[in-house]
């Protein structure tokens, strides 16, 4: 197969993959006379079992008349309805940007320039994400607004407080479910039939061979039809559900006691008086801060040495249950093991209480716990259905600890830490400016949250722009992001973007956020540029696959790839020596060098190449060079039921459940006016707020929908398909009613991301900031946020729906 097609010829079929979302589905493109005709699934590719409507619309996306094709400069004030865009050349656009950023850095420091990035899960920005990070690190700014608090925090970061790695199905270095070997699979807030077809087809095949399936979702959709247990959880109560399932398993002995005793900090003693771990210094003769356990063999405390990966005495039999009195410098102190405290927390969530909180029958809870244990090996994948809540960190912790009870982590058929093709890092954390950076905005208020990983949330970005707190942000570079639609408080966001000294935005289309930029940079469609992918995450076979996605057709207009823009801007900023003097191929050769694959070999094989990898299990047991078992990448080198990191920062060390603050239980008076629980789900047709201007996709869904039970609709005089008003304590929007008899009558499901027109279908644009618009996030308030991550409660709010 040929990797390029730019001359008149018969149609060519070219191996590629679709980069429009995290599925990265293997595909075959048909190209004729320099035009992309379409994509189809490539079953020979490790992710090519199917292709969704978005991928099949690739040709229309490339050819769209709405695309930004030339650099543009604003000539009118940001308060005007007309930006007065005029075309400029690339040299002028890059020079304007570089000079503005240098000026801001000289006045306020490099951290005063922030970057916004579209989600790598729902766009093709992943081609450039590592290079964008490198530019930030070379320049000296930590402030990347990546939407991680909306999509990825819980599964990619919160589970690190338990395992030291992303533990529940994250593609970001996490433990992926080994579906082909699993005996039981849990899909928690995740519908792969519409969001990751590779997983959807793999789960369906596994069910055919006898794998048991549990689906946790307020909606009966996708693979819920094949589930042994569909848990119709009340939005925002997933943490209580996880604690309730753990309670059943612990009470009935359905847990891997050896794993908990030997590979978790469950035996560590916690003092009753100050709720802190008992350590050597607490003892009269103690010196040191090593935590203590109760040794059933000697009837006394013994220290755990994390550095040595062992107890300080041989043949220790650590207790997991019980209460013990220990003589300390301050007198006798009552203590209990961590696991006993965790079990006590779970015991509060009886089956009957979970039924009351989560709206799940008690007997179903018990059946589900039975499956998790007796159908092992168990695996699961969690996505943002459980993430967009103001209690998401502790919910993710509760889920991760439930999974720890199975003992299946990194075991065959469980969630496995897959091997990776060796590659050189490109993000530049070792660059001089990166080592001297200021903390990201938000680090002071949420020290363990996204800012600890050099990510900023929009709320903190807006405060830095408008209030100068904790320091001013005056410049912004946007790469495909649309924060005014993706996040709550769009009105404050609009005010903030308009107040910037300089804002440059690189994108294929002009979205509402980009409309406030000073300079617009036209980005090539992903099918018009190369994209390097090292490993496809979903399975061991996919992980071994390396592919340089070919440029199928030439870029339209004057469009350039995100990577080209980054390298060119780096040179303008005097940072070219960190970017191989502008040679992108040299940078990619550096990245590929450890793999042993040559860049030229990938160009000659557009379908990709394979690097043999060996999957090893239970790697925490494997001895290192010092002969000590590796353990887990946590402070204790064990799975942490008790997170001392969280406790030290002022957060609960155990996964305490918090009711959604704007919900029927926490706010009963408010629920009298707004009696319905509002949540949201992605449309299967679009990638978040993108592509509603593409006719092939818009024909599949013309308008935003709100799903509600027929009884709820009838009580309000609402007919199927009618326009309705959704009102919350925060705002109002419009949508079309879709009746769904499988919903709980107390729950309604809206859709995020609607604003765009589709001229070909006479579908008008709608004001994303007005009360008659269709922007779901107008309904959600900004004051209620997860204390660790800053995540807003976008999937658990109160509302009322009325006919128009």
């Amino acid at each position: 197969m040929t990797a390029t097609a730019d001359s008149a010829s018969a149609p060519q079929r070219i191996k590629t993959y679709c980069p429009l979302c995290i599925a990265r589905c293997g595909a075959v493109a048909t190209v004729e006379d320099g035009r992309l005709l379409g994509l189809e699934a490539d079953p020979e590719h490790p992710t090519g079992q199917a292709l969704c409507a978005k991928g099949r619309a690739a040709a229309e996306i490339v050819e769209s008349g709405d695309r930004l094709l030339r650099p543009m400069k604003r000539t009118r004030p940001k308060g005007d309805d007309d930006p007065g865009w005029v075309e400029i050349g690339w040299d002028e656009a890059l020079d304007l940007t570089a000079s503005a950023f240098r000026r801001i850095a000289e006045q306020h420091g490099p951290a005063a320039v922030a970057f916004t990035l579209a989600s790598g899960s729902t766009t093709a920005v992943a081609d450039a994400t590592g290079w964008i990070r490198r530019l930030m690190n070379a320049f000296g700014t930590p402030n990347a607004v990546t939407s991680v608090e909306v999509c990825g925090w819980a599964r990619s970061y919160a589970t690190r407080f338990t395992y030291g790695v992303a533990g529940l199905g994250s593609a970001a270095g996490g433990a992926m479910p080994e579906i082909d070997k699993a005996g039981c699979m849990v899909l928690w807030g995740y519908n792969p039939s519409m969001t990751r077809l590779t997983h959807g087809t793999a789960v369906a095949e596994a069910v055919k061979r006898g794998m048991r399936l549990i689906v946790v979702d307020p909606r009966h959709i996708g693979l819920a039809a094949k589930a042994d247990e569909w848990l119709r959880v009340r939005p925002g109560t997933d943490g209580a559900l996880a604690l309730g399932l753990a309670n059943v398993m612990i009470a009935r002995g359905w847990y891997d006691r050896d794993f908990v005793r030997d590979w978790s900090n469950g035996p560590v003693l916690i003092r009753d008086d100050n709720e802190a771990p008992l350590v050597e210094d607490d003892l009269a003769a103690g010196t040191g801060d090593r935590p203590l356990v109760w040794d059933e063999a000697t009837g006394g405390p013994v220290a755990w040495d994390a550095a040595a990966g062992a107890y300080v005495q041989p043949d220790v039999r650590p207790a997991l249950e019980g209460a013990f009195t220990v003589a300390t410098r301050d007198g006798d102190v009552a203590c209990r093991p961590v696991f006993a405290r965790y079990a006590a927390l779970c015991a509060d969530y009886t089956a009957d209480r979970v039924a009351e909180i989560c709206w799940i029958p008690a007997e179903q809870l018990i059946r589900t716990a039975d499956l998790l244990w007796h159908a092992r090996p168990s695996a699961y994948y969690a996505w943002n259905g459980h993430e967009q809540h103001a209690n998401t960190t502790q919910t993710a912790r509760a889920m991760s600890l439930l999974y720890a009870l199975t003992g299946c982590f990194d075991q065959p058929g469980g969630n496995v830490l897959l091997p990776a093709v060796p590659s050189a890092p490109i993000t530049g954390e070792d660059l001089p400016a990166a080592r001297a950076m200021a903390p990201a905005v938000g680090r002071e208020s949420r020290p363990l949250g996204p800012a600890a990983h050099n990510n900023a949330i929009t709320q903190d970005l807006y405060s830095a722009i408008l209030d100068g707190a904790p320091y001013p942000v005056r410049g912004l570079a946007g790469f495909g992001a649309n924060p005014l639609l993706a996040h709550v408080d769009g009105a404050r966001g609009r005010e903030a973007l308009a107040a910037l000294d300089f804002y440059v935005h690189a994108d294929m289309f002009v979205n509402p956020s980009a409309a406030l930029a000073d300079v617009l940079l036209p980005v090539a469609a992903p099918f018009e540029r190369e994209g390097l992918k090292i490993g496809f995450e979903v399975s061991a076979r996919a992980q071994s696959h390396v592919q340089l996605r070919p440029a199928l057709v030439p870029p339209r207009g004057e469009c350039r790839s995100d990577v080209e823009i980054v390298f060119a801007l780096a040179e303008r900023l005097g940072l070219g020596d960190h970017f191989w003097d502008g040679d992108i191929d040299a940078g990619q050769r550096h990245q590929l060098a450890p793999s042993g694959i040559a860049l030229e070999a990938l160009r000659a094989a557009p379908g990709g190449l394979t690097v043999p990898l060996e999957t090893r299990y239970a790697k925490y047991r494997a001895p290192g060079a010092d002969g000590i078992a590796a353990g887990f990448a946590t402070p204790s080198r064990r799975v942490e039921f008790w997170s001392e990191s969280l406790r030290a920062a002022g957060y609960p060390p155990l996964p305490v459940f918090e009711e959604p603050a704007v919900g029927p239980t926490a706010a009963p008076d408010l629920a009298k006016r707004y009696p319905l629980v509002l949540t949201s789900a992605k449309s299967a047709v679009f990638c978040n707020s993108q592509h509603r201007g593409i006719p092939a996709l818009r024909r599949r869904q013309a308008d935003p929908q709100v799903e509600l039970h027929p009884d709820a609709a009838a009580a309000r005089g609402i007919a199927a398909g009618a326009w309705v008003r959704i009102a919350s304590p925060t705002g109002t929007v419009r949508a079309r009613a879709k009746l769904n008899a499988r919903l709980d009558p107390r729950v309604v499901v809206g859709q995020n991301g609607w604003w765009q027109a589709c001229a070909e279908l006479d579908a008008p644009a709608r004001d994303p900031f007005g009360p008659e618009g269709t922007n779901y996030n107008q309904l959600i308030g900004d004051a209620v946020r997860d204390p660790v991550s800053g995540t807003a409660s976008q999937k658990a709010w109160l509302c009322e729906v009325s006919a128009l």
Side-chain angles (χ1 to χ4, degrees):
M1 291 189 180
T2 305
T4 60
D6 54 11
S7 60
S9 61
Q12 293 175 288
R13 289 171 58 77
I14 304 170
K15 293 266 190 178
T16 184
Y17 68 87
C18 175
L20 293 177
C21 77
I22 198 170
R24 315 287 187 239
C25 296
V28 177
T30 301
V31 177
E32 183 176 19
D33 295 335
R35 293 187 62 219
L36 175 62
L37 301 184
L39 299 182
E40 61 188 72
D42 178 10
E44 295 180 356
H45 194 282
T47 64
Q49 289 71 36
L51 195 67
C52 75
K54 299 183 285 291
R56 294 184 184 278
E60 280 198 27
I61 293 172
V62 170
E63 297 293 333
S64 172
D66 293 334
R67 281 188 59 184
L68 178 66
L69 298 178
R70 289 168 182 80
M72 309 287 280
K73 179 175 70 174
R74 172 184 294 278
T75 61
R76 298 181 63 81
K78 293 185 181 180
D80 286 8
D81 291 336
D82 178 11
W85 298 117
V86 297
E87 294 182 11
I88 58 175
W90 271 102
D91 285 342
E92 182 180 357
L94 292 169
D95 286 342
L96 282 170
T97 300
S99 62
F101 286 177
R102 281 196 299 266
R103 182 174 62 252
I104 291 167
E106 289 169 0
Q107 294 176 352
H108 305 286
V113 176
F115 283 63
T116 59
L117 283 72
S119 167
S121 296
T122 53
T123 71
V125 78
D127 289 347
T129 299
W131 301 114
I132 296 169
R133 281 283 187 181
R134 186 177 189 86
L135 178 59
M136 294 178 60
N137 283 323
F139 186 74
T141 178
N143 291 312
V145 181
T146 60
S147 297
V148 69
E149 80 278 18
V150 173
C151 181
W153 168 259
R155 62 185 183 268
S156 296
Y157 291 94
T159 54
R160 299 183 192 195
F161 295 118
T162 300
Y163 296 107
V165 297
L168 302 182
S170 168
M176 298 295 289
E178 201 169 37
I179 299 172
D180 60 331
K181 297 179 181 177
C184 178
M185 178 80 185
V186 183
L187 302 178
W188 203 314
Y190 176 52
N191 179 19
S193 299
M194 294 188 180
T195 57
R196 202 167 190 173
L197 295 180
T198 305
H199 269 170
T201 55
V203 171
E205 286 300 313
V207 169
K208 286 181 183 178
R209 68 162 169 80
M211 184 188 76
R212 313 301 293 273
L213 179 62
I214 299 165
V215 172
V216 183
D217 198 317
R219 298 195 302 165
H220 189 275
I221 193 167
L223 288 165
K226 298 181 180 296
D228 296 275
E229 298 293 344
W230 166 49
L231 303 181
R232 191 174 67 177
V233 64
R234 172 165 67 95
T237 65
D238 304 81
L241 173 59
L243 293 171
L245 288 167
N247 178 47
V248 174
M249 294 174 70
I250 293 169
R252 302 192 177 203
W254 295 344
Y255 68 97
D256 190 331
R257 185 177 179 84
D258 290 344
F259 178 80
V260 172
R261 182 192 64 230
D262 298 337
W263 294 102
S264 86
N265 69 351
V268 169
L269 291 171
I270 304 298
R271 298 171 56 137
D272 285 353
D273 56 351
N274 62 5
E275 302 290 314
L278 185 72
V279 298
E280 290 173 298
D281 279 343
D282 292 330
L283 305 183
T287 55
D289 59 358
R290 291 180 295 191
L292 301 170
V293 306
W294 188 264
D295 181 14
E296 293 179 325
T298 61
V302 174
W304 164 256
D305 188 341
Y311 294 106
V312 297
Q313 296 178 13
D315 302 322
V316 173
R317 297 206 315 265
L320 289 176
E321 297 93 5
F324 308 98
T325 301
V326 180
T328 74
R329 299 177 190 272
D330 305 319
D332 290 348
V333 172
C335 303
R336 286 178 291 160
V338 162
F339 189 72
R341 284 176 166 267
Y342 169 71
L345 170 64
C346 295
D348 288 339
Y349 293 87
T350 64
D352 288 340
R353 189 178 178 207
V354 170
E356 179 183 351
I357 295 172
C358 303
W359 302 348
I360 291 171
E363 59 273 16
Q364 188 179 26
L365 185 82
I366 296 169
R367 292 198 308 267
T368 302
D370 190 321
L371 275 182
L372 271 174
W373 179 247
H374 290 106
R376 291 178 304 155
S378 296
Y380 63 120
Y381 202 93
W383 206 243
N384 66 18
H386 82 288
E387 287 193 316
Q388 295 177 2
H389 298 283
N391 57 11
T392 186
T393 299
Q394 295 295 8
T395 291
R397 281 268 293 149
M399 293 162 61
S400 68
L401 293 176
L402 167 67
Y403 187 60
L405 295 178
T406 69
C408 295
F409 187 91
D410 209 28
Q411 296 285 354
N415 282 49
V416 179
L417 292 165
L418 297 175
V421 173
S423 64
I426 59 170
T427 50
E429 278 78 10
D430 59 337
L431 296 176
R435 294 196 294 267
M437 284 193 302
V441 295
R443 186 71 182 266
E444 291 182 355
S445 55
R446 284 179 289 272
L448 300 182
H453 306 276
N454 288 347
N455 293 304
I457 71 170
T458 51
Q459 182 189 49
D460 295 328
L461 174 71
Y462 300 158
S463 294
I465 296 170
L466 294 172
D467 306 324
Y471 52 78
V473 167
R474 303 308 312 153
L476 185 66
F479 283 86
N482 189 8
L484 300 188
L485 268 290
H487 298 267
V488 303
D489 205 358
R492 181 168 169 82
R494 191 161 49 154
E495 180 186 1
L497 296 187
L500 288 162
D501 293 348
F502 187 83
Y503 172 22
V504 61
H505 188 97
D507 215 329
M508 288 180 61
F509 302 94
V510 182
N511 62 44
S513 302
L516 291 165
D518 297 283
V519 170
L520 295 173
L521 304 178
V523 174
F527 310 102
E528 299 170 337
R529 65 182 193 244
E530 289 186 332
L532 178 60
K533 187 84 174 80
I534 303 176
F536 283 72
E537 293 105 11
V538 296
S539 66
R541 177 184 170 224
Q543 270 289 78
S544 70
H545 197 73
V546 180
Q547 191 169 3
L548 184 68
R549 192 186 67 248
L552 299 169
V553 294
R556 289 180 59 197
E558 298 177 19
C559 294
R560 298 183 181 182
S561 73
D562 301 281
V563 178
E564 289 177 294
I565 294 170
V566 167
F567 272 63
L569 188 55
E571 289 196 281
R572 291 298 205 289
L573 290 167
L575 303 171
D577 56 333
H578 298 311
F579 284 81
W580 293 268
D581 295 320
D583 188 340
I584 295 173
D585 281 3
Q588 291 182 326
R589 289 190 183 97
H590 163 82
Q591 188 177 6
L592 285 167
S595 73
I597 296 178
L599 185 64
E600 291 73 19
L602 284 176
R603 285 207 174 105
L609 298 172
T610 298
V611 176
L613 299 174
E614 179 186 358
T615 300
R616 296 182 298 109
Y617 300 101
K619 291 177 282 296
Y620 53 86
R621 296 178 182 271
D626 56 4
I628 299 171
F632 293 82
T634 59
S636 67
R637 296 179 65 171
R638 294 293 184 261
V639 171
E640 296 200 338
F641 281 83
W642 177 281
S643 172
E644 189 60 14
S645 298
L646 286 170
R647 190 189 77 87
Y651 305 117
L654 292 173
V656 175
F657 169 67
E658 293 286 345
E659 268 284 345
V662 183
T665 300
D669 291 340
L670 196 60
K672 293 175 183 177
R673 294 172 53 205
Y674 302 99
L676 298 172
V677 174
L678 174 66
T679 191
S680 66
K682 289 180 181 178
S683 168
V685 184
F686 310 108
C687 290
N688 290 343
S689 66
Q690 307 170 81
H691 302 155
R692 284 164 180 80
I694 305 301
L697 299 177
R698 193 63 175 266
R699 288 189 187 98
R700 292 173 173 265
Q701 188 179 340
D703 299 303
Q705 297 174 343
V706 60
E707 295 183 53
L708 65 167
H709 192 277
D711 291 349
R716 292 162 174 79
I718 294 171
W723 280 100
V724 298
R725 176 172 285 107
I726 311 170
S728 80
T730 311
T732 62
V733 300
R734 293 156 56 102
R736 286 195 185 274
K738 179 180 179 180
L739 305 191
N740 182 349
R742 303 302 295 269
L743 278 180
D744 189 295
R746 297 163 286 185
V747 172
V748 296
V749 185
Q751 292 177 340
N752 177 275
W754 284 87
W755 62 276
Q756 194 173 11
C758 184
E760 290 90 337
L761 302 182
D762 294 324
R766 298 186 184 276
D767 181 2
F769 310 109
E772 299 301 310
T774 53
N775 176 11
Y776 172 92
N777 279 335
Q778 290 284 96
L779 297 168
I780 310 300
D782 186 51
V784 180
R785 289 184 175 266
D786 182 80
V788 181
S789 66
T791 303
S793 188
Q794 289 173 271
K795 287 188 180 291
W797 208 248
L798 288 174
C799 77
E800 179 59 294
V801 181
S802 58
L804 287 175

